[in-house]
Amino acid sequence: MSEQVVIVGNGMAGARLAGELHARGGDRKVTVLGTEPHRAYNRIMLSTLLAGKIGEPDVELAEVAGQGVDLRSGVTATAIDRAARTVATDDGDRIAYDHLVLATGSRAVVPPLPGLDGPELPPRVVPFRTLDDCRRILAVAEGARRVLVLGGGLLGLEAARGLAARGLEVAVVHPVPYLMERQLDPAGAAVLAGTLAGLGVTTHLAVAATAVAADADGVRLDLADGRSLHADLLVLSCGVRPDTALAAAAGLAVERGVLVDDRMRTSDRRVSAIGDCAQHDGTVTGLVAPAWAQARVVAQVLTGEDPLARYRPRPPVTRLKATGIDLAAMGDPGGTDGAGEELTFADPARGTYARLRITGDRLTGAILLGDNPAVGTVIQLFDRGQPVPSDRRALLLGRALGVTPAEPAATPALMPDAATVCQCNNVSKGALVTCWRSGARTVDAVVAGTRAGTGCGSCRDAVAGIVGWLSEVDSVEVTR
């Protein structure tokens, strides 16, 4: 009898795991339960969809289909019976499993404000989390002129910029004195606010919302300083919370997320958890690269390809995906221990800011905002823990270094084979060259063969640049 694997969740983590298991073959049946009624989609590209740069088909993920995979969209898992090893669903079914994987993701946080405390949100108030949320936002925005975004974090700013790109008046309200406080410092955030203002997005900082009033004509957001802001639409981007209800009801160990070990196993060895809902080594991550790395580890363990595979998180790199804004943030650039070197450069008029923190000749944190040709090199140095060059100014000011690993403007021939081009999927320049040599002669073919560019999409230009370079040289002469 074949092994039964059930995956609860058809988001980016669950869909990737189904693909990883399918690619490895073997005698097993994989059942995927997805609450959302549509195909799996790339959640982090929703801001690009909001901006009107792409259509819905462009955010869809390639789904696994065929023998051994049973994909059930629009079906919600309601309970887990660990003793009987079954999952109950809202359509009355009970599905047996030999191994269960929870990829339940996270839910948008709705702040406990008067006016938002009912069983349903008012029609003109929409969280920004799912494809259906995106559809609702666009439907209201169709006849809107002014939009408020509550929350000045990464997703809130992406939503704000996307709606401003549609010609709407957008204002962001954030309770913290500066934007993106998890990734930026006050000086960098001030430059970012200036850049946003030039793109049609105003900001109201260091002020909390106290109440919401909405009707068919519009929405009013009351602030703690006594002001009230009026708009046609209020978008909520107040963070997310791991969806652990199913796991907790089943008696699995849960803190902020479902507790997992290095092999992504929960307190029940027949149950794993990956993605936003999983808490590994005290950390809950909402990024795509860790979720996909976790899916790979689970696939290796379950298929026997590597029963001892372990998840080892890599230092995260945050990129703001918004037209007209180029931002990369990583590590802890604002460390307060006084150790190491700290370099900063600011040119607010040009929307440029750079801050590097170097400890023991290694880059431990960085913020790069605006046009900086060295951003690819900085990411590589941080990601791989390599020594920084003696000329620190080259990194800070973007002066030529000879090697710019993930930037299409640099000569790919100078890029080391081990340089990571796609952070989300951990695809190196060498892997792109190998794929091209194997017969992939277009950007789409290389993307399909390596998965590069299928995450946040920020490396797509770099992939195109490398493919263009490869098409101009003899494959046997490609430097390795």
Side-chain angles (χ1 to χ4, degrees), residues 128-146:
F128 181 47
R129 178 62 182 166
T130 68
L131 178 58
D132 284 338
D133 292 337
C134 197
R135 290 170 173 171
R136 289 179 58 200
I137 291 171
L138 291 175
V140 178
E142 191 68 30
R145 185 169 63 89
R146 292 176 296 178

Side-chain angles (χ1 to χ4, degrees), residues 84-136:
R85 296 208 299 272
T86 61
V87 177
T89 64
D90 61 351
D91 60 2
D93 199 3
R94 285 190 176 273
I95 306 170
Y97 67 82
D98 294 302
H99 198 90
L100 174 66
V101 182
L102 300 177
T104 49
S106 55
R107 296 179 181 273
V109 172
V110 176
L113 298 175
L116 300 182
D117 47 7
E120 294 184 1
L121 291 175
R124 291 181 177 272
V125 179
V126 189
F128 181 47
R129 178 62 182 166
T130 68
L131 178 58
D132 284 338
D133 292 337
C134 197
R135 290 170 173 171
R136 289 179 58 200

Side-chain angles (χ1 to χ4, degrees), residues 111-418:
L113 298 175
L116 300 182
D117 47 7
E120 294 184 1
L121 291 175
R124 291 181 177 272
V125 179
V126 189
F128 181 47
R129 178 62 182 166
T130 68
L131 178 58
D132 284 338
D133 292 337
C134 197
R135 290 170 173 171
R136 289 179 58 200
I137 291 171
L138 291 175
V140 178
E142 191 68 30
R145 185 169 63 89
R146 292 176 296 178
V147 179
L148 293 172
V149 177
L150 185 57
L154 181 68
L155 291 181
L157 296 186
E158 289 183 353
R161 175 62 185 121
L163 291 168
R166 290 179 173 270
L168 298 169
E169 297 178 21
V170 182
V172 174
V173 176
H174 195 47
V176 181
Y178 60 99
L179 300 170
M180 289 182 64
E181 68 277 4
R182 292 186 179 181
Q183 295 87 13
L184 301 182
D185 59 11
V191 175
L192 175 59
T195 300
L196 286 167
L199 296 172
V201 178
T202 60
T203 52
H204 302 271
L205 304 174
V207 60
T210 57
V212 175
D215 55 29
D217 296 324
V219 58
R220 186 188 78 233
L221 184 67
D222 297 334
L223 305 181
D225 60 7
R227 291 180 296 155
S228 293
L229 303 178
H230 298 263
D232 304 299
L233 167 67
L234 172 62
V235 176
L236 302 178
S237 184
C238 304
V240 296
R241 184 174 293 117
D243 192 344
T244 60
L246 191 65
L252 297 172
V254 172
E255 291 180 358
R256 287 185 301 149
V258 185
L259 298 184
V260 296
D261 62 13
D262 288 350
R263 295 189 184 112
M264 308 312 296
R265 299 174 302 189
T266 69
S267 52
D268 182 335
R269 291 298 181 260
R270 288 187 176 271
V271 183
S272 299
I274 60 174
D276 288 11
C277 72
Q279 179 177 329
H280 174 266
D281 197 23
T283 300
V284 175
T285 177
L287 303 175
V288 62
W292 284 351
Q294 292 167 4
R296 184 168 57 251
V297 168
V298 172
Q300 290 172 325
V301 172
L302 292 185
T303 61
E305 177 182 278
D306 184 0
L308 300 180
R310 293 178 179 273
Y311 169 62
R312 290 288 181 260
R314 300 174 64 187
V317 177
T318 299
R319 301 295 296 264
L320 178 61
K321 300 172 296 301
T323 304
I325 304 174
D326 190 0
L327 170 64
M330 62 212 79
D332 179 22
T336 58
D337 57 10
E341 308 170 51
E342 186 174 299
L343 300 89
T344 59
F345 171 78
D347 185 353
R350 296 178 181 271
T352 301
Y353 180 80
R355 182 174 182 176
L356 306 178
R357 187 169 179 81
I358 301 169
T359 306
D361 224 28
R362 298 295 192 275
L363 190 67
T364 56
I367 298 170
L368 297 174
L369 174 62
D371 184 20
N372 189 316
V375 63
T377 296
V378 171
I379 291 175
Q380 290 294 327
L381 291 172
F382 174 77
D383 190 53
R384 305 181 70 85
Q386 296 172 333
V388 298
S390 57
D391 184 3
R392 313 298 207 229
R393 295 171 301 173
L395 293 178
L396 188 67
L397 304 178
R399 296 162 62 181
L401 292 172
V403 179
T404 312
E407 294 299 305
T411 303
L414 298 176
M415 188 184 298
D417 193 53

